[in-house]
Amino acid sequence: MNTTFTRRAVLASGVAALMTPSILRAQESDIAIGSLTPNTGGGGPFGPNITASHKRVAEAVNAAGGILGRQVRLFQENSETNPETAVRAADKLINVNQVIAIIGTFSSSVTLGIMPKCQSADVIQMCTSSSSDIPIADEKGLVFNFQPLSPIWGRAIADLVLSRGIESYALMALNNDFTRSMMDGFMERVGSNAIIQEPFYYNAGQSSYRSEVTQLIEKSPKAVFIPSYVADFTAVYKELYRQGYEGVVITTSLSTGAQFKETVGAAGDGVIHGFPVPALSSPAYKQYLGEAGLEDTGSVQHPFGTAGRDQMTALLLAVERAGTTDSAAVARAIWDVTTGDGKTTVYNLADGLEALRAGEEINYSGASGSLEFDAEGSVLGRDFQLSEIRDGQDVVLQRLEL
Amino acid sequence: MSLQMIINALVNAALIAPPAMAFSLLFGILRFPNFAIGGYITVGAFAAYTFNVVFGLSLPLAAAGAMAFTALVVWGTHIIVFRPMQEQSAITLLVVSMAVTLILENVIRFFFSSDVRGFDIPLERPWKVMNAHITPEQLQIIAWSLVIGVSLHLLLAHTRIGRAMRAVADNPMLAAIRGVNAARVTAFTTAVCGALFGLTGVFAGLDLVIEPLVGWNLTIPIFAAAILGGIGSPYGAILGALLVGLAEEATILVLPSTYKVAVGFVIIAVLLLLRPQGLFGTAEIKK
Amino acid sequence: MSAYLISMSTFVGFFMILALALNLQWGITGMVNFGVAGFYALGAYTSGLLAVKLGIPVGLAILAACLAGMSMGAVVALLSMRLREDFLAIVTLGVGEIIRLIVLNEDEITEGPRGLRIDAQPFGTLVGPELYPVFYLGLVALCVVLTYVVCESIRRAPMGRTLRAIREDDVVAEVLGKNVFLHRVCIFAVGGFFMGLAGALYAHYVQNISPEVFMPVLAMFIWMSVIVGGAGNNRGILLGAGTVMVFLEGTRFIGDFVDVLDAEKMSALRIILIGLLLILTLRLRPRGLLPEPKFRVNSN
């Protein structure tokens, strides 16, 4: 039948025509790594920083001779914050580019969505996702989550806020896994007496947030907690301001970065936000700022870019340590190079490689956190910091050492 | 329903009504639902941003600039993409317009990234009206919406070009026989609609945030308002916008706010079942 | 590489089934369905939830998904028969979105934004893991053939030809009466059946589904498959689905060659390129790559 020939011909010729294995697959001697980040869609504000960090680390190490004498080849794909396309992107990375790891996924649905393929191909994953399903679905121990699970965030923010003596809260969260589980943690600590109405969720990408905000402030709570992403939070905050809300607005620092501050200007003063932080005085973080060309403002900057740098660094150190690209060995080595006491602390890839090659055991302490992983590949709670926006700057209010 | 809810609904409607009218006008002339309106609105928002923040113009001037620029873009896409294909079926053109909106959105993203932005305008605190709040900015949006509605009515009913627009929308062949230059009228219509989409971009930037997805997020309510009102009827679009605005607010009285979008659709569906041509729609303009 | 082609072909298979079903609905009954993503979601979640939460055998779960799609199709068709095509587009888009919102919000049942993990696979225990992807491709290919045969039979059958002939003309349709009306509903429902099938096959293949998979943009790409391929021509549809997938996935490879732009710009550029390719294809072949064969009076 003509059909079979035609469709196969189109597909095969279309795809195969672009195929020149020697270009698309990394050279036999290269180490291929997949950087799958949300460059468009809901995660669009965050993805590009992550992959830029991956690229910087890769370029630096290649210039210095590579890992195990091999060059690092980075393959970047856009997850579009959409598991439907991300799965195909992952397929290409795994089957065509033959990557040993896929790093940089952001939304839980993407991380979990590509996991079946990664697990069956023994491909390591590194993500900054929140779902507590991630360690459960990771049956082979190949997934490393560089973001503390969000109930921890919620509890930490609540602990920090409670000391400010606020009597009544109202809660509203973006309707995704990350923010919803953060709300649960918060509610647990604050207690149901202080929450004066049923918490609820809202969807992103709406044409207006008026009804949500009206509902949120209906009973005049003294404070509102709104876990969210920057695009929807900015729109929600503008609406809060315009509906005359004068209480305390609490959120995560994800939502209150430079984009938020520039968009709302002086009206943003007074917003309280929390975030797991590396010691902002950490050498790794300061080095990151230098690498990314940022000024040290004392605020949390590039919350995911720092994680990207850490992912790539930890992965490459692990490959060097393991002496192979076999995923089980590399996965074990990731623990070796990041976790545990009695080792040389290093803050960047170059120092780490030098130490490893001198036969030392290392503990990479990163730009996004000290990176101690539990047995399931989740990063242990980092320090938490609560800040307030004053005069357009972040002022640290309190820290919680976990 | 509280006073605040009514105010919210009015502001919602004011944001949606002008683009819904423009969409209706476009449909009347071009005879297919143009999905590219999301892209047009985003272009308007970013054009205004560029004039206001990058070039330092005041917001009214930036808005005017955005309207002119968007009119150019809409007219441009008409000339380059849609007009050469105008013989095709409505569905084909609809699919093409989807591709156009993808392109426009990503051209913006190419130059501006996905970062969230705002105009160089301080946020205002509201006035208090009984126990509800409204900001002067929101009142302006409502006022402008009304002005546009009235102006459009005057344009269509009382000017030559307006009558020509209506003639081409009703029956292009007859209009041609009567000496109306359909191509010029269409070009003019696209420019007018473009200006409206540009203004919507400005309002959306004020009301929400300026980001590549801003137009896409408004597309469905705009469609809903236009269809509810009866495609091809700009006045219907205003009523449709009001109904959609009210529906969005009323949702949370019965359902969790995560179903807001759904309620809008249900209302449209119910209304269309009762009155398949929409509130003010005329009978078949099928392609 | 072969593993990649096998999985891409599997994904094309899902698109093909969806596009064939859509073309059945649009080409025969003239009813524009923009809620494709909703039917897909219905199929995926029906099968997935039954298999995961109730332990129902996969085969039965998939069948249930098909029936769910069929019922939804019947309901939508019954309710919207009177509507004009552009209205129907919005209403069906609404249906699709409502289904997605229900899946997202009723997370007690569906796991909502957390995503649903589906371990059960058809014949998963019988076929070994190395061969399974090939086996699944075979299964999907079989379903594509099945869908094609059914759609083509309907298209060629007397009722199919009648319906096609009158799909633009409601007056004639009314004159011909209730018989025609019921047939349209049935055929639309059959389309829903296959969309549900595609959803179920998808769910058991990727083994993890979430509401974000089923956004309206998916309906866009399936419609593009239909229009680029040639609405009304089932062979064209198959070609269209393959072509759209080549556009979507082929453009990824450009990033492997070109390294001058940063990731965000490359991503934007890729989507712009996909849009341009689609517009170009439609400019050059406005009636599709394989347009509908001319209606012949003495066809066999």
Side-chain angles (χ1 to χ4, degrees):
Chain A
M1 194 202 288
N2 261 358
T3 322
T4 324
F5 175 74
T6 327
R7 83 172 130 102
R8 277 225 204 106
V10 167
L11 185 60
S13 61
V15 174
L18 299 171
M19 291 294 81
T20 322
S22 61
I23 296 183
L24 288 160
R25 203 178 320 165
Q27 298 300 328
E28 274 309 303
S29 55
D30 285 352
I31 299 176
I33 298 177
S35 169
L36 183 61
T37 53
N39 303 335
T40 58
F46 306 115
N49 281 341
I50 301 175
T51 196
S53 295
H54 293 162
K55 191 171 171 188
R56 273 194 295 268
V57 175
E59 285 175 346
V61 82
N62 281 339
I67 298 283
L68 300 177
R70 299 158 66 174
Q71 292 282 287
V72 172
R73 178 93 193 267
L74 196 66
F75 291 96
Q76 142 65 225
E77 287 299 332
N78 179 9
S79 74
E80 299 177 32
T81 329
N82 178 343
E84 206 269 326
T85 55
V87 167
R88 290 196 291 270
D91 206 289
K92 167 192 174 271
L93 290 170
I94 296 173
N95 289 316
V96 178
N97 304 127
Q98 314 255 294
V99 299
I100 64 167
I102 295 184
I103 63 180
T105 53
F106 170 83
S107 79
S108 299
S109 57
V110 169
T111 303
L112 287 166
I114 69 172
M115 209 179 284
K117 281 198 186 275
C118 289
Q119 295 270 300
S120 77
D122 289 317
V123 166
I124 292 172
Q125 276 180 263
M126 289 180 166
C127 61
T128 46
S129 301
S130 60
S131 171
S132 36
D133 280 343
I134 291 173
I136 300 174
D138 174 25
E139 288 167 1
K140 294 190 176 180
L142 295 173
V143 181
F144 294 87
N145 190 352
F146 282 64
Q147 178 169 291
L149 296 183
S150 42
I152 300 178
W153 296 47
R155 287 195 286 270
I157 295 179
D159 285 341
L160 287 167
V161 162
L162 278 171
S163 61
R164 303 172 65 76
I166 302 171
E167 307 118 27
S168 61
Y169 297 87
L171 275 56
M172 160 170 108
L174 176 63
N175 193 12
N176 82 19
D177 186 55
F178 171 63
T179 42
R180 285 167 63 144
S181 35
M182 202 184 306
M183 200 150 89
D184 294 337
F186 187 92
M187 280 162 51
E188 200 187 290
R189 285 287 212 263
V190 164
S192 43
N193 287 335
I195 300 176
I196 58 174
Q197 68 181 30
E198 183 73 25
F200 62 99
Y201 311 118
Y202 67 92
N203 287 328
Q206 310 221 106
S207 57
S208 108
Y209 296 95
R210 276 178 271 276
S211 50
E212 284 86 353
V213 168
T214 303
Q215 185 182 358
L216 183 67
I217 62 177
E218 216 175 0
K219 301 195 178 153
S220 307
K222 289 284 188 290
V224 292
F225 177 48
I226 308 176
S228 48
Y229 288 157
V230 65
D232 44 278
F233 179 74
T234 308
V236 164
Y237 185 79
K238 284 170 77 167
E239 195 53 41
L240 270 170
Y241 196 83
R242 286 193 293 245
Q243 288 194 26
Y245 182 68
E246 304 209 330
V248 178
V249 178
I250 309 165
T251 181
T252 64
S253 309
L254 281 185
S255 306
T256 57
Q259 296 172 33
F260 170 75
K261 295 194 187 77
E262 270 165 40
T263 304
V264 302
D269 286 351
V271 172
I272 293 185
H273 52 99
F275 201 74
V277 284
L280 285 177
S281 53
S282 143
Y285 180 70
K286 290 200 190 298
Q287 285 168 14
Y288 175 81
L289 292 177
E291 292 157 13
L294 296 168
E295 300 245 327
D296 191 350
T297 63
S299 321
V300 172
Q301 299 187 68
H302 283 201
F304 294 101
T306 49
R309 186 235 205 212
D310 292 343
Q311 289 171 350
M312 195 62 165
T313 305
L315 180 63
L316 293 178
L317 286 173
V319 172
E320 180 79 25
R321 172 79 170 69
T324 166
T325 52
D326 167 69
S327 47
V330 173
R332 277 192 301 274
I334 292 176
W335 272 290
D336 288 336
V337 301
T338 57
T339 307
D341 302 318
K343 308 182 185 182
T344 316
T345 307
V346 295
Y347 299 105
N348 59 60
L349 185 58
D351 293 346
L353 289 175
E354 201 186 305
L356 279 177
R357 288 166 183 164
E360 294 170 37
E361 292 286 348
I362 60 171
N363 181 319
Y364 171 64
S365 181
S368 64
S370 58
L371 293 185
E372 305 290 309
F373 285 101
D374 68 15
E376 284 157 345
S378 298
V379 71
L380 292 173
R382 292 140 45 173
D383 295 351
F384 239 88
Q385 175 174 293
L386 201 68
S387 314
E388 179 178 347
I389 302 181
R390 289 186 204 159
D391 289 327
Q393 305 284 346
D394 288 328
V395 171
V396 178
L397 295 177
Q398 252 181 296
R399 301 202 62 180
L400 196 63
E401 319 260 311
L402 286 172
Chain B
M1 214 185 205
S2 63
L3 181 60
Q4 184 67 53
M5 283 191 184
I6 295 179
I7 290 181
N8 290 349
L10 276 175
V11 184
N12 288 348
L15 190 58
I16 302 290
M21 286 186 263
F23 176 79
S24 256
L25 268 178
L26 268 184
F27 182 87
I29 298 272
L30 300 178
R31 300 211 183 324
F32 75 94
N34 191 341
F35 232 88
I37 63 176
Y40 297 149
I41 293 174
T42 306
V43 164
F46 276 86
Y49 171 84
T50 310
F51 286 125
N52 174 245
V53 174
V54 177
F55 296 153
L57 296 175
S58 71
L59 192 62
L61 276 180
M67 286 167 77
F69 185 77
T70 315
L72 195 64
V73 168
V74 175
W75 176 78
T77 55
H78 174 67
I79 298 289
I80 301 174
V81 180
F82 297 117
R83 195 168 70 181
M85 297 185 71
Q86 64 187 3
E87 302 307 314
Q88 301 313 315
S89 70
I91 281 289
T92 302
L93 287 167
L94 173 56
V95 167
V96 167
S97 70
M98 288 172 168
V100 169
T101 209
L102 277 181
I103 292 174
L104 287 174
E105 180 189 305
N106 281 279
V107 166
I108 297 281
R109 189 175 274 123
F110 187 89
F111 289 112
F112 289 93
S113 89
S114 297
D115 285 350
V116 163
R117 299 159 203 266
F119 294 120
D120 206 0
I121 304 276
L123 268 188
E124 301 173 314
R125 281 297 190 184
W127 293 334
K128 230 182 139 153
V129 179
M130 289 191 267
N131 62 347
H133 298 91
I134 188 165
T135 61
E137 198 177 82
Q138 290 174 325
L139 277 170
Q140 282 190 341
I141 294 180
I142 295 178
W144 276 107
S145 240
L146 284 170
V147 165
I148 289 169
V150 169
S151 311
L152 217 52
H153 167 76
L154 291 175
L155 179 74
L156 288 174
H158 298 294
T159 64
R160 262 188 62 195
I161 185 81
R163 282 196 288 274
M165 282 162 75
R166 279 188 298 148
V168 173
D170 267 345
N171 191 332
M173 263 201 298
L174 191 57
I177 293 173
R178 297 288 305 275
V180 173
N181 184 337
R184 268 210 268 147
V185 169
T186 309
F188 178 77
T189 310
T190 59
V192 167
C193 294
L196 287 176
F197 291 129
L199 190 61
T200 306
V202 174
F203 290 163
L206 283 171
D207 197 56
L208 300 159
V209 289
I210 302 173
E211 51 139 353
L213 292 173
V214 68
W216 176 266
N217 294 339
L218 284 169
T219 305
I220 292 182
I222 292 173
F223 271 22
I227 288 176
L228 199 56
I231 288 206
S233 161
Y235 320 114
I238 300 181
L239 192 56
L242 274 169
L243 281 170
V244 169
L246 275 170
E248 284 191 351
E249 292 306 304
T251 310
I252 50 177
L253 294 175
V254 254
L255 284 174
S257 72
T258 44
Y259 279 112
K260 221 159 78 160
V261 169
V263 167
F265 278 122
V266 170
I267 296 200
I268 298 171
V270 165
L271 236 123
L272 286 176
L273 278 176
L274 300 174
R275 211 185 139 80
Q277 69 269 41
L279 292 170
F280 287 95
T282 49
E284 307 293 85
I285 314 177
K286 269 192 130 185
K287 205 184 190 316
Chain C
M1 178 55 67
S2 60
Y4 179 70
L5 287 176
I6 291 173
S7 26
M8 286 304 115
S9 303
T10 313
F11 283 111
V12 172
F14 304 136
F15 270 29
M16 281 176 175
I17 298 177
L18 285 172
L20 283 170
L22 187 62
N23 188 50
L24 186 70
Q25 293 175 334
W26 158 239
I28 307 288
T29 71
M31 289 167 61
V32 173
N33 179 2
F34 263 94
V36 181
F39 284 84
Y40 201 38
L42 187 62
Y45 272 91
T46 303
S47 189
L49 286 171
L50 287 176
V52 170
K53 304 236 164 169
L54 295 180
I56 293 185
V58 177
L60 285 178
I62 294 181
L63 187 61
C66 299
L67 294 174
M70 191 167 82
S71 319
M72 174 62 59
V75 167
V76 171
L78 277 169
L79 288 177
S80 30
M81 192 60 66
R82 297 170 69 196
L83 293 173
R84 289 184 355 197
E85 58 183 42
D86 20 45
F87 289 0
L88 194 51
I90 267 284
V91 170
T92 50
L93 185 65
V95 168
E97 277 291 276
I98 289 173
I99 294 177
R100 187 179 68 84
L101 283 176
I102 293 176
V103 166
L104 177 64
N105 298 334
E106 300 311 314
D107 59 312
E108 296 281 303
I109 304 173
T110 65
E111 304 298 315
R114 288 190 293 281
L116 178 67
R117 196 174 148 212
I118 302 168
D119 284 325
Q121 293 192 297
F123 300 106
T125 43
L126 288 176
V127 183
E130 284 95 51
L131 273 176
Y132 198 76
V134 182
F135 164 74
Y136 212 92
L137 176 60
L139 179 65
V140 171
L142 203 67
C143 292
V144 170
V145 170
L146 175 70
T147 314
Y148 179 86
V149 165
V150 170
C151 291
E152 194 63 7
S153 315
I154 293 178
R155 191 178 75 85
R156 288 171 189 246
M159 182 45 78
R161 295 204 296 261
T162 312
L163 288 175
R164 267 188 299 141
I166 64 168
R167 72 183 175 215
E168 311 284 334
D169 194 330
D170 291 331
V171 176
V172 176
E174 278 200 41
V175 164
L176 288 173
K178 205 165 59 143
N179 202 20
V180 163
F181 175 83
L182 277 177
H183 269 91
R184 275 170 142 188
V185 172
C186 287
I187 291 176
F188 197 89
V190 169
F193 178 95
F194 287 113
M195 290 184 181
L197 174 64
L201 288 172
Y202 176 83
H204 291 287
Y205 179 69
V206 295
Q207 299 191 281
N208 189 296
I209 56 176
S210 62
E212 288 157 5
V213 171
F214 306 103
M215 312 269 266
V217 70
L218 189 67
M220 263 170 71
F221 288 125
I222 305 297
W223 268 104
M224 283 172 178
S225 305
V226 170
I227 298 290
V228 164
N233 181 333
N234 287 323
R235 262 179 270 178
I237 303 294
L238 297 178
L239 188 58
T243 307
V244 169
M245 186 60 81
V246 167
F247 289 167
L248 287 177
E249 296 304 311
T251 43
R252 286 196 195 283
F253 289 87
I254 297 179
D256 290 354
F257 292 91
V258 177
D259 205 22
V260 273
L261 293 170
D262 68 31
E264 191 164 26
K265 288 188 156 57
M266 266 320 292
S267 302
L269 208 59
R270 172 175 161 255
I271 298 178
I272 292 172
L273 193 61
I274 294 172
L276 286 174
L277 283 169
L278 284 160
I279 295 180
L280 207 67
T281 309
L282 285 172
R283 276 292 285 272
L284 294 174
R285 300 291 293 243
R287 291 183 57 227
L289 293 168
L290 289 181
E292 187 164 17
K294 288 284 184 216
F295 192 67
R296 274 168 300 171
V297 176
N298 276 342
S299 26
N300 44 340

